[in-house]
Amino acid sequence: MNRRVVIGLAVALAACQGSAFRSNVSLEFLSLTPVQPRHHRLKVSIDPATHTLTTEDQVKLQMKLQPNGARPPSLAFYLAPQLRVESVLIDEQPAPVRRKPPRLPSGPLNGRRYARFEELARYEIALPPDAHDSPTLTVRAAGPWPADAQGMQLAGHSGWHPLWPNALFTFDLEVEHPQAWESVSAGVLTRREPSGQRAHSTWSMAQPTDAIDLFAGPYVVTTRSVGALPVSTYFFQDEVSLAPEYLEAAADYLARYSRLLGPYPFQTFAIVETPAPIGAAVPSLALLGQSLVRRHYTQPYGLGHEIVHAWLGNHVMVDEAEGNWAEALTTYLANYYTVEETDGEEAARRQRRQMLIQYATWTTPQTDYPLMRFLDNMSQTDAAVGYQKGAMVFHLLRRMLGEEEFFGALRELTERYGGKRAGWNDLRLLFEARLGRPLDWFFRQWIVQPGAPQLAIERVELTPAPADHEAPEGTRIAVHLRQAPPLFRLPVTIHIETPDRILEKSFWMDQAEAVIETIAAQPPIRITVDPDEQLFRRLAREELPPMLNLTLTEPALRIVPPGLADHAESELYATIARQAAERAAGRVEDDGGLLLLGGPAQNRETAEAAERLPSSIRLGLLDFTIDGRTYHDASHALLLTFRDPARQHRPTTIFYGLSADAVRPLIPLLLYHGWDSYLVFDNGRAIVKGALPAAREPLIWTSRPDEAAP
């Protein structure tokens, strides 16, 4: 039996549970869709003064015969509900059209996969009996669309043009817009002609895609060549000065990822500024919100991440029937591997640790779900599963295959599946061919099943080892390692540190308990499992450093406002309290995490908590001290989280600004600073950050039980 069928069945059964493909589902959602678009010839006129758009879309269709050999009796397309359909033609002949509600698939994967179609209007057309296999459908529509001084944004899946589920097509797009504006879409700008106060721009996309995104506005276009590739920024006037920085970063990323993934797959590349605070990618475009552009969002996890999507997600598209692998692989290459290449192994180890921390912070065994069910980032739990766990799964694959075979498989992926959809099964087959042995168990364990391993050193036994002809007298060491259910198959490394050396033991663990034995000349002083953070596993809550996100994800949260603050400060802290209550994972009540707002002079509970702080931290009435340095300016603020000894070492977070002016600039961004134990801010900018130790480290044993594990 083809092993593709084996894992494919597991994926399909899990994805379709709960009647995903009942017989009353609309035909266009079935895997053998009878009608699909192949090419759009689309004209759109944008009128920002009246906030309207007018469209004419000539769609070349491809019809498939039904199992009985007959042509499908009808076709359906989807459109934004605010647009009015003015006429519909089949091969230039009027066709009657009816607006009918869709019958969407259900189930944990498909319900989410097709949820956007629930917001759209469905139009059904009876096909004439003499319709041929490749008819042309012409749809003319008009209606209101949001527009402002920064332009008009027409996202591909918003329904501004006719949509079909699971479609891949090419397109030609002609845009009429104000002369003072520029338009930008995927593909190549083939023409721009002024016409009085208006202009006509034409875009052509010759590679298959699944949506047409269009952005028009008062952009200033800056272009440079990277080899033969035109690279542009479409920025608003206030951000034009940042264009050289973004173009230089883009050139570096394009060269870097071409080396890893093969030639850049499109004819142009552009960075488009949007009013909305997004970071996204569509074919040949990276979309960055204005607030991100202003923050110099050129880091690997920012602009770099969106550029990797040119290959993974836009050139090789995702077969969503098996979930979304592209975010995981993009996160691994951009957010992680770039750090490893540029900053070295220690920075990479910290990055791996941070991925484990984020996964453990935002998921629990109850909220976790299989990686194959991840589609997009709609919550912190989604990001933890689809981005952090997914990236670590690719790290495990790379360690199994080695550098040459791993990246060889990725280049083969972009070459073989460019312009097509690929799923987890397709990736599995590529990696298996490179490895030379089956990976069913690996993909079943990490992709089909939910969760992560939970490991702990149960005990360490030390006994005298008598001398023999091969070794002098020493110590026999037995490390008992336990894995909580469900059990995973793992490559485990242990370091046993003695006063004069470090012994390394590596083995595969797939049982509830493993015993690792060795003999050393001297007793061990420290034993560490997975010392380089190479495994993907679930950290216990006690392993997580104290941080704001730990407080916010406690089963319950109590927020204490500053009862003694003046009116201006009270209003600012009240806004933060509301934001924290909305972000909190648990109930907002007495027992659990504790968030104290205001300093000792403003909040009695802060004054009490200040007496329980670690010795390196002091809170004063008009200042605070961190690691020997005192901060007393009115522009300074402190965000601090510690494990509170008076509260069973639960996390307590204190936010303390030395004035209202120190608090005010942090209101929009404070909750994004959730991963450090303490941060010192000056006028809203973080100038010092650091970490306090975890409560315990279950994979570290020391010869002194009272010794704090770093």
Side-chain angles (χ1 to χ4, degrees):
M1 179 183 288
N2 187 330
R3 283 182 293 106
R4 180 186 179 89
V5 175
V6 175
I7 189 171
L9 268 178
V11 172
L13 287 173
C16 298
Q17 58 180 292
S19 70
F21 286 111
R22 295 177 303 194
S23 59
N24 63 349
V25 168
S26 298
L27 290 177
E28 61 268 20
F29 293 105
L30 301 182
S31 57
L32 298 176
T33 306
V35 180
Q36 283 282 287
R38 289 295 174 249
H39 185 81
H40 290 257
R41 187 173 298 276
L42 179 59
K43 295 179 181 179
V44 57
S45 177
I46 292 171
D47 188 349
T50 59
H51 302 265
T52 59
L53 61 85
T54 303
T55 67
E56 178 183 293
D57 193 3
Q58 295 180 2
V59 190
K60 193 68 173 178
L61 300 174
Q62 182 67 49
M63 292 197 294
K64 298 179 181 178
L65 297 181
Q66 298 183 85
N68 61 4
R71 289 186 177 88
S74 64
L75 67 85
F77 65 86
Y78 290 77
L79 203 64
Q82 70 269 32
L83 297 182
R84 181 182 67 260
V85 174
E86 296 184 334
S87 67
V88 175
L89 307 176
I90 296 287
D91 289 333
E92 301 184 355
Q93 297 300 313
V97 61
R98 293 186 301 168
R99 183 166 170 171
K100 299 181 65 175
R103 301 186 302 276
L104 298 176
S106 60
L109 180 64
N110 283 303
R112 201 163 158 182
R113 177 184 174 191
Y114 296 116
R116 64 179 179 268
F117 287 94
E118 193 168 14
E119 307 299 321
L120 303 177
R122 179 179 183 269
Y123 293 91
E124 189 171 296
I125 305 164
L127 289 171
D130 58 346
H132 56 86
D133 293 342
S134 301
T136 297
L137 169 71
T138 302
V139 178
R140 297 186 180 97
W145 206 270
D148 57 25
Q150 290 183 306
M152 186 179 283
Q153 295 78 44
L154 294 93
H157 293 295
S158 62
W160 71 273
H161 66 85
L163 290 177
W164 282 260
N166 310 314
L168 292 179
F169 49 81
T170 56
F171 68 84
D172 291 293
L173 169 63
E174 181 180 328
V175 188
E176 181 190 347
H177 54 79
Q179 165 67 5
W181 283 15
E182 299 292 342
S183 73
V184 57
S185 186
V188 177
L189 177 64
T190 60
R191 180 176 69 101
R192 188 190 190 281
E193 292 182 357
S195 176
Q197 298 299 310
R198 307 284 285 174
H200 292 263
S201 300
T202 302
W203 295 84
S204 182
M205 182 63 172
Q207 293 159 268
T209 184
D210 62 358
I212 306 173
D213 296 85
L214 173 62
F215 302 87
Y219 289 121
V220 178
V221 184
T222 307
T223 302
R224 63 170 282 188
S225 294
V226 178
L229 179 71
V231 178
S232 305
T233 56
Y234 285 72
F235 282 0
F236 301 127
Q237 182 64 54
D238 289 347
E239 287 72 54
V240 170
S241 62
L242 299 176
E245 174 187 346
Y246 280 85
L247 292 172
E248 184 64 30
D252 178 70
Y253 289 130
L254 289 164
R256 178 185 300 276
Y257 300 128
S258 292
R259 173 173 51 84
L260 296 178
L261 297 169
Y264 175 72
F266 300 104
Q267 294 177 268
T268 62
F269 176 72
I271 305 167
V272 181
E273 185 177 7
T274 67
I278 63 171
V282 299
S284 76
L285 307 178
L287 312 177
L288 298 180
Q290 186 175 44
S291 60
L292 293 178
V293 171
R294 290 175 174 176
R295 287 164 52 193
H296 305 272
Y297 200 58
T298 58
Q299 301 87 346
Y301 59 78
L303 178 61
H305 184 102
E306 306 309 337
I307 288 179
V308 173
H309 273 311
W311 287 267
L312 308 174
N314 292 324
H315 180 50
V316 181
M317 289 161 282
V318 172
D319 181 356
E320 292 185 339
E322 296 179 8
N324 180 353
W325 53 267
E327 287 297 353
L329 185 50
T330 298
T331 299
Y332 183 63
L333 295 178
N335 304 37
Y336 169 77
Y337 186 72
T338 306
V339 171
E340 181 181 312
E341 271 201 318
T342 57
D343 299 333
E345 174 52 33
E346 179 54 30
R349 186 198 64 78
R350 291 195 299 269
Q351 188 75 10
R352 293 192 295 270
R353 179 72 176 188
Q354 186 61 30
M355 288 192 282
L356 300 185
I357 289 172
Q358 292 186 34
Y359 173 78
T361 300
W362 294 114
T363 71
T364 67
Q366 292 72 40
T367 62
D368 204 350
Y369 61 84
L371 190 52
M372 68 176 188
R373 276 181 48 198
F374 169 76
L375 282 179
D376 47 24
N377 183 12
M378 302 297 290
S379 69
Q380 298 288 359
T381 299
D382 290 333
V385 173
Y387 289 64
Q388 311 308 330
K389 176 180 178 177
M392 284 298 294
V393 168
F394 281 106
H395 184 66
L396 297 176
L397 270 171
R398 176 179 156 219
R399 286 175 57 79
M400 289 178 63
L401 272 75
E403 300 291 295
E404 182 177 349
E405 299 300 340
F406 178 78
F407 287 106
L410 298 189
R411 287 188 289 273
E412 188 175 352
L413 170 69
T414 62
E415 181 179 352
R416 182 182 298 184
Y417 289 95
K420 305 174 185 176
R421 298 190 190 276
W424 280 110
N425 270 310
D426 300 304
L427 270 66
R428 177 179 66 87
L429 294 172
L430 289 172
F431 287 122
E432 282 185 340
R434 292 278 175 167
L435 185 62
R437 60 179 184 269
L439 285 170
D440 299 75
W441 68 270
F442 183 94
F443 278 74
R444 189 180 306 112
Q445 172 175 286
W446 295 115
I447 311 302
V448 177
Q449 297 174 3
Q454 300 178 70
L455 302 175
I457 297 176
E458 187 174 54
R459 66 184 186 278
V460 174
E461 297 174 344
L462 306 177
T463 56
D468 57 28
H469 66 282
E470 295 182 354
E473 183 176 309
T475 300
R476 185 183 303 278
I477 305 166
V479 182
H480 293 255
L481 184 64
R482 179 162 291 279
Q483 179 180 183
L487 301 180
F488 287 74
R489 182 182 176 190
L490 305 166
V492 179
T493 298
I494 293 182
H495 279 186
I496 300 173
E497 183 179 350
T498 69
D500 62 344
R501 67 178 61 190
I502 294 178
L503 305 175
E504 181 175 292
K505 298 288 183 180
S506 297
F507 62 98
W508 283 88
M509 181 177 186
D510 58 4
Q511 300 297 319
E513 183 176 0
V515 181
I516 303 89
E517 295 184 306
T518 190
I519 294 176
Q522 300 184 66
I525 57 176
R526 184 182 178 91
I527 298 173
T528 307
V529 177
D530 190 30
D532 297 324
E533 313 276 5
Q534 301 285 4
L535 284 179
F536 176 70
R537 62 185 182 91
R538 176 174 293 283
L539 303 180
R541 293 282 290 184
E542 295 80 5
E543 287 184 83
L544 300 176
M547 54 187 175
L548 173 62
N549 283 336
L550 188 67
T551 301
L552 295 178
T553 54
E554 283 290 284
L557 173 69
R558 185 163 66 94
I559 303 173
V560 183
L564 304 176
D566 63 32
H567 177 74
E569 289 182 314
S570 294
E571 288 295 309
L572 294 172
Y573 283 121
T575 300
I576 293 172
R578 288 193 295 271
Q579 293 173 343
E582 292 171 1
R583 176 75 68 89
R587 306 175 305 277
V588 179
E589 56 181 46
D590 288 345
D591 191 23
L594 177 61
L595 174 59
L596 304 176
L597 299 174
Q602 303 159 310
N603 192 321
R604 290 191 177 91
E605 290 203 39
T606 301
E608 295 171 1
E611 302 298 321
R612 308 191 295 269
L613 293 175
S615 58
S616 60
I617 302 173
R618 182 190 64 83
L619 299 188
L621 297 179
L622 299 173
D623 61 14
F624 54 85
T625 300
I626 302 286
D627 289 335
R629 180 176 176 182
T630 298
Y631 301 86
H632 50 72
D633 292 349
S635 59
H636 287 144
L638 172 67
L639 179 64
L640 165 70
T641 304
F642 69 103
R643 289 191 176 272
D644 196 334
R647 303 178 52 253
Q648 298 178 312
H649 296 280
R650 292 191 180 97
T652 292
T653 295
I654 299 171
F655 176 56
Y656 174 21
L658 297 185
S659 72
D661 289 338
V663 175
R664 189 173 292 107
L666 286 166
I667 286 179
L669 296 173
L670 184 67
L671 297 188
Y672 292 96
H673 293 283
W675 300 109
D676 297 284
S677 297
Y678 58 84
L679 295 105
V680 178
F681 299 94
D682 186 5
N683 285 316
R685 182 174 62 90
I687 57 174
V688 174
K689 63 177 64 175
L692 298 173
R696 68 181 182 94
E697 293 279 4
L699 294 186
I700 296 177
W701 174 94
T702 64
S703 56
R704 294 177 52 192
D706 59 335
E707 182 180 278

